[in-house]
Amino acid sequence: MFISDYFMNAVTSILNKNYLNKDDIIFLLKLNEEKGIGKLFCKADQIRQKYCGNDVHLRGIIELSNYCEQDCLYCGLRRGNKSLKRYRMSKNEILDTARRIYDAGLKTIVLQSGEDSWFSKADLSEIISSIKNEMDVAITLSLGERTADEYEEWRKAGADRYLLKHETANPRLYSMYHQRQKLTDRIKNLLQLKSLGYQVGSGNLIGLPHQTTEDIADDILICKELNVDMASFSPFIPSPNTPYENKNAADPHLVFKTIAVTRIVLKDVHLPVTTALSTLYPSAREKALKVGANVIMPNFTPEPYRNYYLIYPNKNRIESVPDEMISSVKKLVNSLGRNIGVTRGDSLKQNRISV
Ligand code: 5AD
């Protein structure tokens, strides 16, 4: 047997295991084009088919404020970035945008912003309940770290899900990127959200300075441990006017591999193709949907605000007018023999409360 045959047998035997340990995950994340990556992608697609079927769920995003009280070294919204024009959408603008998402047939509205306590507990409760009273949709919040009391109130107002990425499961890197924040607090927030009955999403940034393949394996494993309902693995893209502006962007192929390995390890979880991945790699949606992803999150933030939500540059390159975008997403999904989900696309877990 040639050495390459031994190697391919090793790939096959790992992919046939019921339980993948950290070494297996690292091995798979290091596969390259000549070596076994096709088998990895094929297995991930089979598992996606088994647990998610052919539905691709669309979640419409509203970026309601780009003010942020945090100072994350990688993020263009960091408060230290004085050259970014800041905005907050009014309640009416948010409701109008929610209606546009609902009228486009989407069943999930994502309310996303920097960490902006200007939007009070009561303001957000009012926005959430107004949307829920008028529209039959799920609401996902993505507003960063807030108090347990706020999380509880918003859940009561009708919020269904919360997206709070852990960003990195390496506590040393976490403290380096975020300085004033600690990984333990982030995990505490995620556990609070779970105990309040939110469907919870977490995830990381791939390709940040000093990150290793081992760190990415830990990011996948922490999502497993937290039994998350959704996991967002997204590439780092250097953003001007941040301390990391001159660093290299992530390798998009590593992101595709991470999505595939996550599908194999976590199985019954929603995995989005992120806007950042599409910004970095033109046919990212098609590619990611073929290797384990089952969610697309179109951005509905209206002009001019969408031009100011600059977490990283060129973010709006792929995001044209929402209507055109939705029809091109539908065309793509159908061309892959898949269909747009007609349900809310809630958690795939049978028993999601247990951690
Ligand atoms: N590139 C890609 N994604 C980023 N985020 C922040 N900065 C960047 C960047 N430079 C992501 C983080 C965070 C969300 C606000 O955006 O993962 O959770």
Side-chain angles (χ1 to χ4, degrees):
M1 242 207 275
F2 292 114
I3 291 181
S4 63
D5 291 331
Y6 281 110
F7 185 85
M8 292 309 272
N9 286 345
V11 175
T12 306
S13 79
I14 287 178
L15 291 173
N16 283 336
K17 287 167 81 170
N18 287 328
Y19 167 81
L20 299 192
N21 62 31
K22 187 167 163 185
D23 288 340
D24 297 329
I25 293 174
I26 292 171
F27 177 86
L28 293 175
L29 290 173
K30 287 186 171 165
L31 293 177
N32 62 33
E33 286 301 333
E34 304 94 72
K35 283 191 176 173
I37 204 169
K39 282 182 192 258
L40 166 68
F41 287 162
C42 190
K43 179 80 180 185
D45 198 43
Q46 281 167 12
I47 296 188
R48 185 274 309 156
Q49 172 72 48
K50 179 170 173 196
Y51 287 87
C52 312
N54 279 329
D55 281 357
V56 174
H57 299 290
L58 304 185
R59 327 287 202 196
I61 300 184
I62 310 175
E63 296 157 333
L64 49 96
S65 161
N66 71 349
Y67 282 84
C68 190
E69 285 148 27
Q70 297 299 348
D71 221 13
C72 312
L73 299 195
Y74 46 76
C75 185
L77 302 192
R78 69 197 305 266
R79 76 186 147 85
N81 182 3
K82 305 292 182 213
S83 47
L84 184 68
K85 185 173 165 60
R86 304 282 174 168
Y87 72 88
R88 292 185 178 105
M89 289 172 68
S90 70
K91 184 186 167 194
N92 280 340
E93 288 173 322
I94 296 168
L95 284 179
D96 278 346
T97 311
R99 286 182 196 112
R100 228 167 295 139
I101 295 174
Y102 184 60
D103 292 343
L106 276 64
K107 300 283 188 295
T108 295
I109 292 174
V110 183
L111 300 177
Q112 188 159 73
S113 75
E115 282 192 19
D116 183 10
S117 57
W118 184 91
F119 277 99
S120 69
K121 178 171 82 173
D123 292 336
L124 283 155
S125 291
E126 199 187 316
I127 292 166
I128 294 163
S129 52
S130 302
I131 295 174
K132 292 293 275 204
N133 286 339
E134 193 181 316
M135 294 161 240
D136 178 22
V137 288
I139 293 187
T140 301
L141 302 179
S142 177
L143 309 169
E145 288 184 22
R146 303 285 296 236
T147 66
D149 181 43
E150 288 172 314
Y151 290 154
E152 185 172 3
E153 203 60 28
W154 299 336
R155 177 92 185 98
K156 280 189 201 144
D160 304 274
R161 312 183 189 137
Y162 207 104
L163 173 57
L164 183 68
K165 300 204 324 182
H166 67 270
E167 313 290 358
T168 173
N170 178 329
R172 195 178 47 80
L173 291 182
Y174 191 95
S175 303
M176 187 173 95
Y177 304 143
H178 305 104
Q179 314 215 315
R180 291 186 309 147
Q181 293 176 285
K182 289 205 303 273
L183 179 62
T184 47
D185 288 333
R186 182 59 56 120
I187 302 298
K188 200 174 79 196
N189 276 257
L190 284 161
L191 293 174
Q192 270 165 357
L193 290 162
K194 277 181 77 83
S195 69
L196 289 166
Y198 280 95
Q199 298 169 43
V200 167
S202 194
N204 81 345
L205 272 176
I206 292 175
L208 283 171
H210 310 291
Q211 183 188 52
T212 64
T213 313
E214 179 165 316
D215 292 324
I216 299 174
D218 282 331
D219 288 326
I220 296 172
L221 288 169
I222 205 172
C223 285
K224 185 176 181 193
E225 211 173 308
L226 288 165
N227 195 23
V228 295
D229 304 288
M230 187 264 222
S232 170
F233 291 96
S234 195
F236 161 70
I237 302 174
S239 191
N241 308 307
T242 65
Y244 286 171
E245 64 183 343
N246 294 319
K247 304 290 182 191
N248 291 326
D251 171 7
H253 299 287
L254 180 56
V255 184
F256 295 124
K257 281 188 278 182
T258 306
I259 291 172
V261 176
T262 305
R263 173 60 69 202
I264 293 169
V265 175
L266 270 63
K267 298 185 171 60
D268 54 351
V269 68
H270 290 299
L271 297 181
V273 192
T274 65
T275 307
L277 189 54
S278 298
T279 303
L280 212 53
Y281 189 94
S283 54
R285 284 176 172 159
E286 174 172 359
K287 170 108 181 154
L289 288 175
K290 286 178 172 169
V291 304
N294 71 319
V295 170
I296 293 177
M297 302 176 75
N299 183 11
F300 279 76
T301 309
E303 301 273 359
Y305 307 128
R306 56 193 291 124
N307 305 315
Y308 307 141
Y309 204 83
L310 286 178
I311 294 175
Y312 50 83
N314 298 319
K315 183 165 154 282
N316 286 330
R317 200 169 48 83
I318 58 140
E319 309 272 51
S320 52
V321 184
D323 292 341
E324 281 173 24
M325 187 193 16
I326 295 298
S327 73
S328 81
V329 166
K330 284 185 177 161
K331 231 190 257 165
L332 167 67
V333 166
N334 293 332
S335 77
L336 299 174
R338 311 265 283 272
N339 30 264
I340 302 292
V342 291
T343 66
R344 296 183 355 156
D346 279 306
S347 174
L348 297 159
K349 311 257 175 208
Q350 303 300 323
N351 177 15
R352 36 173 208 85
I353 297 301
S354 62
V355 184

